[in-house]
Amino acid sequence: MSSLSSSAAKWFLALSYDDLPVDIVEETHRAILNTIAVATAASVLEYGSPVCATAKDLGGIGSAHLFGSGEKTSASAAAFANATMSAALAYDDSHTETLIHVYGTIVSTVLALAQQHAIDGKEVLTVVAGASELTCRIGMIAPTAFHRNGLHPTGIIGAFGAAYAAARLLRLSYTQTVHAIGIVGNLASGINQCWVDGTWSQLLDNGWAAQAGITAATIARHGYTGPSEVLEGKLGLFRSHIQQPGYPFDFDCMIHDLGTHWEMREIEIKPYPCGHVSQPFVDCALSLYRRGLKHEDIASVTCLVSDWMVPVVCEPLERKRRPTTAWHGRVSLPYTIAETLWFGRLDAESYRSEYLASRELLELADRVSYEIDTSVRGGRTYKGWVRVTTHDGRLLEEIKSEEDSCKHMPREVFLDKIRCCLRTGGIEDRHEALVAAVERLNDASSIVEVMAACDPTSSLKGGK
């Protein structure tokens, strides 16, 4: 009987551009554009400099761009840096059932290797889509179980998706690809402790997953071996990481209807730069702001949340109300709601150091608390529910489902997000050129035009 990794390899290596549904191609364009834009925004903030410096130290001079600059390094080092920066603003994407941030790792891996090996646009789109699909499928074997065990599935599962992508782009054989997936199981990692104190280490999970995938595929190409049953084996990924007796692992979901049903459709690009579960709550806060609510009128704010969200974005409450870094604020529901109600927006320019130090804004955060919403059971839909009591005794309330924001983000809203990120990164003038270059990938012989459009040291056609 074939293993899961080998069955998936057989499908993925045979996948062609013509097999991709039209909406999956369109979503893959968005995935590439979003990853470049949010990583570019992060490159000029405090996260960017140490990551890019590390990439250059490790990778030297190479052929792959670091987003946000004209500098180049090795493919593995560029993938590491770009994927790390794609996560830094929490402005990336999430798969709704598993909460894995998929695109940053996969897109960064593919674009870095595509520059090194002159891959054409259709192959880039095919590999991003297929590797993203497999990342979702692997995560669905035990959705949210990693989070409940203190692990970060983006870094762990993302490494497998990156390994599949790298194996195809490096033109590994079927057997070598299966070995690469077995090898990457020993390289995958990620924990969530930095959510407690606001340090940055978790952001590396996306980048390390990309680098791990490239490393695993490269060493497999040279004859190194890894276990075929790396996922379902008794000492494999899932049973070693989720040591819960009788846990109902859904191994069949990884390959069932593969290529017919696209789980990638459940990936949502974030409209706001904060934790995935906080997105509908931000929608509620913005609705209240647009209804005329002023921060000075607020006596108290209550967010009604699912119980499993509490350790993610609500507790420890005092620390969440006093984030020490921008990243800490992004994974804090109380602070995020306070800043949203204060300014009436949440975008790439939010979570500035002066905001985190504002006495008045922090006093508003002190008035934000939470209660358990017993009507929510988790799953693919995340509900936002915010109640506000004003000083004059009014009770205001907003309820939103996640579908109100993420899944149906209109094109103009998405492009405004891209423009804002590029403005933060100092290359807003390249917005139109970058969007056009990504949308022309279907017919491009390489990704040279895309990389030139986001390289601030290159000239744009027509002088734009």
Side-chain angles (χ1 to χ4, degrees):
M1 182 180 295
S2 297
S3 68
L4 293 177
S5 65
S6 63
S7 296
K10 187 175 297 184
W11 171 79
F12 181 58
L13 295 179
L15 183 69
S16 73
Y17 176 82
D18 291 336
D19 294 327
L20 304 180
V22 172
D23 67 310
I24 293 298
V25 174
E26 293 175 352
E27 175 64 11
T28 305
H29 284 138
R30 282 162 48 99
I32 293 170
L33 190 56
N34 193 72
T35 298
I36 292 173
V38 297
T40 297
S43 71
V44 300
L45 302 179
E46 64 267 35
Y47 317 100
S49 178
V51 170
C52 291
T54 299
K56 289 183 287 184
D57 283 350
L58 294 177
I61 298 174
S63 58
H65 281 76
L66 297 172
F67 298 150
S69 76
E71 296 180 291
K72 296 180 181 180
T73 185
S74 71
S76 63
F80 161 77
N82 293 335
T84 298
M85 291 189 296
S86 77
L89 302 187
Y91 216 1
D92 45 5
D93 61 273
S94 291
H95 177 243
T96 54
E97 186 156 339
T98 64
L99 296 184
I100 294 172
H101 309 301
V102 179
Y103 294 146
T105 295
I106 302 304
V107 170
S108 298
T109 300
V110 172
L111 294 186
L113 288 172
Q115 292 173 81
Q116 186 179 67
H117 297 281
I119 306 298
D120 68 43
K122 285 185 176 178
E123 177 70 351
V124 165
L125 293 167
T126 303
V127 175
V128 169
S132 296
E133 178 69 13
L134 290 178
T135 303
C136 297
R137 294 295 191 113
I138 297 171
M140 288 175 61
I141 292 171
T144 74
F146 286 96
H147 279 107
R148 295 175 189 273
N149 283 270
L151 299 169
H152 189 216
T154 296
I156 298 168
I157 307 301
F160 286 86
Y164 275 112
R168 175 158 170 162
L169 294 176
L170 294 176
R171 297 180 173 86
L172 268 62
S173 68
Y174 163 77
T175 300
Q176 289 172 325
T177 299
V178 175
H179 283 306
I181 304 309
I183 292 165
V184 86
N186 285 76
L187 307 180
S189 63
I191 59 173
N192 286 326
Q193 179 60 28
C194 75
W195 282 3
V196 175
D197 60 9
T199 47
W200 302 345
S201 59
Q202 190 209 65
L203 304 178
L204 295 172
D205 291 353
N206 291 58
W208 195 252
Q211 190 162 12
I214 294 174
T215 300
T218 301
I219 197 168
R221 185 174 60 171
H222 290 291
Y224 217 80
T225 63
S228 174
E229 294 187 336
V230 63
L231 298 172
E232 70 270 36
K234 66 178 182 179
L235 299 177
L237 177 76
F238 285 93
R239 291 190 171 96
S240 64
H241 283 62
I242 303 168
Q243 298 183 12
Q244 180 180 330
Y247 186 90
F249 297 109
D250 188 2
F251 290 115
D252 182 61
C253 74
M254 182 178 169
I255 56 175
H256 180 67
D257 286 340
L258 194 56
T260 302
H261 167 77
W262 283 82
E263 189 61 31
M264 183 180 160
R265 291 190 174 110
E266 301 301 327
I267 299 175
E268 299 176 349
I269 292 175
K270 295 180 183 177
Y272 311 116
C274 60
H276 182 88
V277 300
S278 299
Q279 302 282 315
F281 291 91
V282 174
D283 266 339
C284 291
L286 289 173
S287 291
L288 290 166
Y289 184 89
R290 288 191 289 267
R291 286 168 55 185
L293 179 66
K294 304 300 183 184
H295 61 80
E296 59 266 25
D297 297 330
I298 297 172
S300 66
V301 180
T302 302
C303 298
L304 289 93
V305 304
S306 301
D307 57 356
W308 62 269
M309 294 181 186
V310 172
V312 179
V313 294
C314 298
E315 291 287 353
L317 186 57
E318 293 311 309
R319 286 193 177 189
K320 294 293 188 182
R321 286 171 169 166
R322 290 291 183 275
T324 57
T325 64
W327 171 249
H328 204 189
R330 296 178 200 281
V331 295
S332 163
L333 182 59
Y335 178 83
T336 292
I337 295 305
E339 183 167 327
T340 303
L341 289 171
W342 189 278
F343 293 108
R345 63 172 176 80
L346 202 72
D347 56 29
E349 298 176 352
S350 300
Y351 300 99
R352 294 182 180 181
S353 56
E354 59 265 34
Y355 302 160
L356 298 172
S358 167
R359 180 176 59 83
E360 293 85 359
L361 202 162
L362 293 176
E363 286 178 351
L364 178 58
D366 286 338
R367 300 198 290 276
V368 181
S369 60
Y370 71 89
E371 293 179 5
I372 302 301
D373 175 9
T374 58
S375 69
V376 175
R377 296 288 183 262
R380 294 183 184 271
T381 301
Y382 299 87
K383 177 181 175 183
W385 189 354
V386 175
R387 290 173 176 164
V388 174
T389 301
T390 63
H391 289 299
D392 61 5
R394 289 175 294 147
L395 178 62
L396 307 176
E397 183 176 69
E398 282 286 342
I399 300 175
K400 299 282 185 179
S401 74
E402 189 179 47
E403 292 184 354
D404 292 329
S405 57
C406 301
K407 281 189 177 180
H408 303 292
M409 201 192 318
R411 173 178 168 81
E412 61 272 17
V413 175
F414 173 70
L415 293 180
D416 282 346
K417 171 189 173 177
I418 300 304
R419 184 183 294 277
C420 181
C421 287
L422 297 180
R423 180 170 62 247
T424 300
I427 58 169
E428 183 181 4
D429 61 321
R430 293 170 177 270
H431 175 262
E432 292 182 10
L434 179 58
V435 172
V438 171
E439 292 182 344
R440 285 195 292 265
L441 269 176
N442 311 53
D443 301 313
S445 60
S446 72
I447 63 165
V448 169
E449 186 182 0
V450 171
M451 301 319 299
C454 62
D455 178 355
T457 68
S458 71
S459 59
L460 293 176
K461 292 180 180 180
K464 294 182 181 179

